Amino acid sequence: AMRSAMKTRIKALLTTLETKNKEQVYPALRKAISSVNQAASKGVIHKQTASRKISRLTKAVNKHLTA
């Protein structure tokens, strides 16, 4: 359930990016990062995998907001 919740939050963030709704991007990013960290701390995903996912999500958000 932890992994699917994480994937759902990541998907929600990516759809928020596509709609270009800037007010909702940062809260969505925060939720996604939180669930990725939670999955890593429970051992559902490896800590470095979590770090990589967070890095890529943050990079995507910054790219969308500066463009």
Side-chain angles (χ1 to χ4, degrees):
M2 179 82 61
R3 184 185 297 264
S4 98
M6 176 188 74
K7 285 176 155 186
T8 304
R9 288 217 168 131
I10 290 172
K11 203 172 287 183
L13 171 62
L14 297 178
T15 51
T16 306
L17 281 179
E18 283 171 20
T19 58
K20 293 182 171 55
N21 193 338
K22 290 186 178 181
E23 309 88 62
Q24 294 179 339
V25 170
Y26 280 118
L29 177 64
R30 241 189 327 272
K31 282 182 181 173
I33 288 176
S34 164
S35 63
V36 170
N37 277 330
Q38 206 171 15
S41 71
K42 302 273 189 246
V44 177
I45 59 171
H46 195 275
K47 286 194 178 1
Q48 286 172 332
T49 305
S51 183
R52 186 172 62 246
K53 280 183 187 296
I54 290 170
S55 172
R56 288 177 180 169
L57 290 172
T58 308
K59 221 163 117 179
V61 166
N62 290 336
K63 184 179 172 188
H64 265 75
L65 294 182
T66 55

